[in-house]
């Protein structure tokens, strides 16, 4: 049965970034890496899968663990062949290498193939299953027939596409020159063809989209390839989606051929909303981005991820509908709270504060990227002025957790887009701490609709009248003074049942 869905589209406790959406049969499947709430590194958990029927993108089902880190022979699984050579980073542990962003395709034999890279290992691994929901079993490493591994580019963030013309594997990581991965060949997203066994390389890798240094003088110069390869075909065109060196945005390029040349087209989404309708001030703390395009029943969606906890390592999947024009180009999508809902949320009932699509501190010009570190010994402290989405134990909460926005100080803004209003005249907010919150519509500087005061006596629900409006509006909660935590809010009409 259909019900409302919002961003993030999975339960709060589920942290699947780098999502690749694929329709197999009558269901949409999500494959991604797997962070942890409050994590201190990327991708620390095993792969899981979620799916939803194509005619109801609100009805998400947990398919369970589909593949474990320990199944890769480099992490200790039994293997009769010769392992590829690799070198551990100083902070990595033998047998515990993380699995980074994966992708899945149905091969020519009808089975489903999972591609991924282990942290720090310059080779792509392949697993296989008879079902898109897994479980998957390790198959082999992507290598030439003589067992050598391709050396062109960085084997990172693989994407796979199969059709009657062949099996195409995309990959790459392209930091600026001077970085440890600074060979010239690494400055590109790459593509190579695979045999029908889905792991033997049968073509020399080719360059398809340039990275930062290689992009100078090309159409990609302002938005060069960085990472997060993703590939789709719509009509007669191939769409290559990637994260640019701006980091927070997903861009796309189009080609008539899976091997290129690809032409830059534009930005699909930014997790700070940078560039949407000319906006240059982040509406959220930004971080890396990764996702994919999918067509579901004639509509197109871009899947992406946001950061929580003020760091790079607790990412949650989000999605937005995008508009494909008649010429095949796609407009940049606005990030919203309603996401896959197909329209604004009803301005009636209770909503969790963690669905905020706008979260900024008092000095908005200082909003930038979340914290990031490579070595756990170098972990920095969160700035005291930052608000951020987090959680605390709660035996009555879903999954034993109570999610909330923490540390909303004077000037902090939590915004929600969009709601459809129809004579609602009351609002309630669950707050903790001492302060006053002003509720506004349409923008952080918009019309004041209500004021809510929190007295600092633990979590409490505060009710007040809400000015009469109708139609589609955004809601913004702006802290006038004090410091509060914000868990949820509720809208209703006193003449109707609460």
């Amino acid at each position: 049965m259909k019900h409302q869905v919002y961003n993030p589209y999975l339960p709060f406790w589920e942290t699947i970034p780098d999502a690749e959406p694929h329709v197999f049969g009558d269901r949409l499947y999500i494959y991604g890496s797997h962070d942890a709430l409050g994590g201190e590194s990327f991708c620390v958990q095993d792969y899981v899968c979620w799916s939803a029927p194509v005619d109801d993108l609100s009805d998400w089902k947990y398919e369970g663990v589909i593949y474990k880190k320990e199944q890769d022979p480099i992490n200790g699984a039994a293997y009769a062949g010769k392992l590829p050579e690799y070198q551990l980073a100083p902070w990595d542990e033998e047998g515990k290498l993380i699995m980074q962003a994966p992708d899945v395709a149905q091969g020519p034999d009808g089975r489903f193939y999972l591609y991924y890279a282990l942290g720090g290992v310059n080779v792509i691994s392949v697993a296989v299953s008879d079902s898109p929901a897994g479980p998957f079993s390790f198959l082999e490493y992507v290598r030439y027939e003589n067992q050598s591994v391709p050396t062109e580019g960085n084997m990172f963030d693989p994407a796979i596409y199969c059709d009657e013309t062949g099996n195409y594997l995309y990959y790459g990581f392209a930091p600026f020159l001077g970085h440890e991965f600074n060979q010239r060949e690494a400055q590109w997203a790459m593509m190579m063809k695979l045999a029908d066994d889905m792991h033997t390389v049968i073509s020399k890798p080719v360059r398809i989209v340039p990275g930062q240094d290689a992009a100078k003088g090309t159409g990609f110069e302002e938005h060069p390839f960085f990472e997060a390869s993703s590939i789709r075909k719509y009509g007669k065109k191939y769409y290559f989606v990637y994260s640019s060196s701006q980091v927070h945005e997903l861009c796309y390029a189009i080609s008539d051929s899976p091997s290129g040349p690809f032409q830059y087209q534009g930005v699909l989404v930014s997790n700070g909303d940078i560039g949407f309708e000319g906006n240059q001030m982040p509406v959220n703390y930004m971080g890396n981005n990764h996702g994919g395009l999918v067509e579901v029943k004639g509509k197109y969606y871009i899947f992406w991820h946001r950061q929580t906890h003020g760091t790079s390592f607790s990412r949650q999947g989000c999605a937005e509908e995008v508009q494909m024009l008649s010429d095949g180009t796609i407009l940049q999508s606005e990030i919203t709270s309603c996401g896959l809902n197909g329209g604004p949320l009803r301005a009636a009932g209770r909503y969790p504060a963690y669905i905020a699509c706008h979260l900024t501190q008092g000095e908005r010009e200082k909003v930038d990227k979340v914290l990031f570190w490579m070595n756990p010994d170098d972990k920095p402290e969160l700035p005291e002025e930052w608000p951020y989405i987090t959680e605390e134990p709660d035996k009555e909460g879903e999954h034993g957790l109570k999610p909330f926005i923490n540390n909303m100080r004077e000037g902090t803004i939590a915004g929600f887009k969009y709601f459809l209003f129809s004579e609602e005249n009351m609002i309630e907010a669950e707050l903790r701490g001492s302060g006053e919150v002003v509720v506004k519509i349409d923008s952080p500087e918009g019309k004041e609709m209500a004021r809510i005061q929190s007295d600092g006596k633990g979590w409490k629900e505060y009710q007040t009248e809400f000015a009469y409006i109708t139609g589609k509006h955004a809601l913004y909660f702006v802290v006038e003074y004090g410091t509060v935590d914000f868990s949820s809010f509720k809208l209703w009409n006193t003449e109707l049942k609460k």
Side-chain angles (χ1 to χ4, degrees), residues 142-162:
V142 172
R143 295 190 272 203
Y144 292 108
E145 190 172 4
N146 66 6
Q147 297 299 292
S148 65
V149 175
T151 58
E152 298 90 345
N154 292 307
M155 303 293 161
F156 188 74
D157 285 357
I160 183 70
Y161 176 79
C162 302

Side-chain angles (χ1 to χ4, degrees), residues 75-96:
N75 274 337
Y79 180 60
K82 181 181 178 181
L83 290 178
E85 296 181 1
Y86 64 95
Q87 184 175 359
L88 294 177
W91 50 85
D92 284 331
E93 294 184 56
E94 190 78 45
K96 295 184 179 180

Side-chain angles (χ1 to χ4, degrees), residues 155-213:
M155 303 293 161
F156 188 74
D157 285 357
I160 183 70
Y161 176 79
C162 302
D163 66 12
E164 65 280 358
T165 67
N167 311 304
Y168 303 91
L169 182 65
Y170 300 78
Y171 63 94
F173 176 58
F176 56 87
L177 286 178
H179 189 278
E180 60 179 311
F181 297 109
N182 65 356
Q183 66 267 31
R184 174 59 64 180
E185 197 71 60
Q187 291 303 304
W188 291 78
M190 310 291 292
M191 186 282 293
M192 54 190 174
K193 288 189 72 173
L194 302 179
D196 283 349
D197 65 8
M198 300 300 285
H199 61 81
T200 300
V201 180
I202 59 173
S203 74
K204 180 179 174 60
V206 295
R207 303 170 173 182
I208 60 163
V209 172
Q212 183 170 324
D213 294 286

Side-chain angles (χ1 to χ4, degrees), residues 54-173:
V54 294
D55 58 357
D56 186 0
L57 298 185
S58 70
D59 187 17
W60 289 94
K61 173 188 175 184
Y62 177 58
E63 301 286 0
V65 175
I66 61 171
Y67 193 72
K68 298 180 178 182
K69 294 190 290 289
E70 64 197 45
Q71 291 180 248
D72 194 295
I74 291 176
N75 274 337
Y79 180 60
K82 181 181 178 181
L83 290 178
E85 296 181 1
Y86 64 95
Q87 184 175 359
L88 294 177
W91 50 85
D92 284 331
E93 294 184 56
E94 190 78 45
K96 295 184 179 180
L97 294 173
I98 63 171
M99 298 185 298
Q100 295 164 330
D103 195 15
V104 170
Q106 188 169 18
D109 62 357
R111 296 194 295 171
F112 298 87
Y113 291 85
L114 169 72
Y115 293 78
Y116 65 94
L118 293 174
V121 178
N122 201 38
V123 67
I124 293 170
S125 303
V126 191
V128 65
S129 174
D130 292 329
S131 166
F136 287 80
S137 300
F138 180 81
L139 176 65
E140 191 47 273
Y141 297 105
V142 172
R143 295 190 272 203
Y144 292 108
E145 190 172 4
N146 66 6
Q147 297 299 292
S148 65
V149 175
T151 58
E152 298 90 345
N154 292 307
M155 303 293 161
F156 188 74
D157 285 357
I160 183 70
Y161 176 79
C162 302
D163 66 12
E164 65 280 358
T165 67
N167 311 304
Y168 303 91
L169 182 65
Y170 300 78
Y171 63 94
F173 176 58

